Amino acid sequence: DRKIVWINKSMAFIHRCDHEQVIGKHCHAVLKGCEHPCKECFLVEAIASGRTQVVEMGMDVPGSGRRWGEVHAYPVRDQNKNVSAVIIIVFETTAARQAMQKQRNYTELLERQLHSRENGSGNVNQHNGGALSVRELRQHHVESVVGLHRRHA
């Protein structure tokens, strides 16, 4: 029936509730603020399949802004090997998401710089200072750039 049997203080704080007052309440009401269960609930899948489910979720945390976490739902089996509960553990992924976004931004910047320095043949113009300098590449933490030399027919 997806009712909360235990919640730690950190999770309760994130969801703006008292950890003792939510025991016995439906997870969708406490964690999502919804009257009805989620349409595609990963907890239902964990219970039905008996396998761990992993989803990434974002949430606005009081005083911290938007935070991201990888949510793992681990099925717990009773003596008859039936799933009787699901343990939810959240692994913080905000810093990793921010680092990936920063890397994507660098890649897009370098692509724009390379395209702006190509000559009409599609080759990077290495004459007249057209190629990216080592200083520019290091500034953006680039390990290497691999290019293709296009031959003209």
Side-chain angles (χ1 to χ4, degrees), residues 13-130:
F13 174 77
I14 290 169
H15 292 285
R16 299 173 184 96
C17 59
D18 182 289
H19 74 284
E20 294 175 356
Q21 294 178 347
V22 300
I23 304 303
K25 294 189 178 180
H26 287 100
C27 61
H28 56 269
V30 174
L31 305 179
K32 295 284 192 170
C34 302
E35 291 183 32
H36 304 286
C38 304
K39 287 184 179 181
E40 294 183 20
C41 179
F42 67 100
L43 299 177
V44 171
E45 181 62 29
I47 293 166
S49 70
R51 293 188 305 208
T52 299
Q53 300 296 308
V54 180
V55 297
E56 188 170 36
M57 300 177 92
M59 177 163 292
D60 294 319
V61 177
S64 297
R66 189 82 170 156
R67 307 297 293 175
W68 290 88
E70 191 175 86
V71 183
H72 294 241
Y74 298 99
V76 176
R77 297 182 183 278
D78 61 18
Q79 294 174 351
N80 297 323
K81 300 195 188 304
N82 296 317
V83 176
S84 60
V86 177
I87 295 172
I88 300 171
I89 299 176
V90 180
F91 298 95
E92 174 77 28
T93 61
T94 303
R97 281 181 70 91
Q98 290 170 341
M100 289 299 294
Q101 184 59 48
K102 195 173 186 180
Q103 184 178 16
R104 280 191 294 273
N105 292 345
Y106 284 150
T107 301
E108 290 169 6
L109 173 69
L110 291 172
E111 285 177 0
R112 285 192 304 273
Q113 288 181 344
L114 282 169
H115 288 297
S116 71
R117 293 169 186 210
E118 286 181 352
N119 59 27
S121 68
N123 296 319
V124 174
N125 183 355
Q126 295 184 7
H127 307 292
N128 305 325

